[in-house]
Amino acid sequence: MAYGRAMRQLARVCLVGIIACGALGLGGCVRAGPDRTPNAVATSKPVFESDAAALAAATKAYAAYLAMSDTISQEGGANPERLASLVTPDILKEQVDQFHQLQARGFVAHGSSEFDTVSLQHLTSSVGGEEEIYLYLCLDVSKVRVLDSARKD
């Protein structure tokens, strides 16, 4: 049973991470509702020259986030502040709290998460040159094992 609770905890950490990807919004493996309409009209040159460039940048950013999140999980939740450059301040606070819970319970993850089937859902340009990129992707945590403080599943 501890494994199931630990896996749900790790999955919640990963899901919070999905939400947290700074300017990234992710929608899992199935199409989630209609595309959003931007609230602001861009008045400056777009950051990305094409949707393909935006997708490549978002994929790279999410890979960096996921790698760090996995590293922190593998280290039992130690030093979650390492996510600071990869997420927004509000999400960082949530992530730090989640990883501290992982650490307090003595859980350690083994293995790494993966993602695939990445596609661009929506790209929004706003005043000030900020871009928001929303992705669809499939996150696979099947190769991640979470061990309790006794290092058992």
Side-chain angles (χ1 to χ4, degrees):
M1 285 297 165
Y3 175 75
R5 284 192 308 272
M7 185 53 86
R8 284 190 298 276
Q9 178 69 18
L10 181 61
R12 186 171 0 146
V13 168
C14 291
L15 289 175
V16 170
I18 289 171
I19 296 167
C21 290
L24 303 177
L26 307 174
C29 298
V30 295
R31 186 164 183 88
D35 291 343
R36 293 181 13 170
T37 303
N39 294 332
V41 176
T43 58
S44 60
K45 181 179 177 184
V47 174
F48 301 104
E49 293 185 19
S50 67
D51 286 355
L55 178 60
T59 300
K60 182 178 178 181
Y62 186 69
Y65 163 79
L66 193 58
M68 182 55 69
S69 180
D70 281 347
T71 297
I72 294 167
S73 296
Q74 292 161 0
E75 295 173 359
N79 304 312
E81 296 80 10
R82 291 177 280 177
L83 290 170
S85 66
L86 303 170
V87 298
T88 64
D90 290 343
I91 297 302
L92 178 62
K93 182 184 179 329
E94 291 176 20
Q95 291 280 279
V96 167
D97 291 345
Q98 290 291 323
F99 279 116
H100 284 161
Q101 288 178 23
L102 187 78
Q103 191 173 34
R105 293 179 178 162
F107 292 140
V108 175
H110 288 274
S112 297
S113 306
E114 299 174 349
F115 65 97
D116 64 13
T117 319
V118 182
S119 61
L120 183 67
Q121 175 197 9
H122 185 73
L123 174 62
T124 302
S125 298
S126 63
V127 176
E130 293 181 6
E131 302 271 338
E132 290 183 2
I133 304 168
Y134 294 82
L135 301 175
Y136 289 117
L137 63 80
C138 289
L139 178 62
D140 180 359
V141 294
S142 65
K143 295 179 183 170
V144 177
R145 290 182 48 222
V146 178
L147 305 179
D148 63 17
S149 58
R151 300 303 181 246
K152 295 182 181 180
D153 292 313

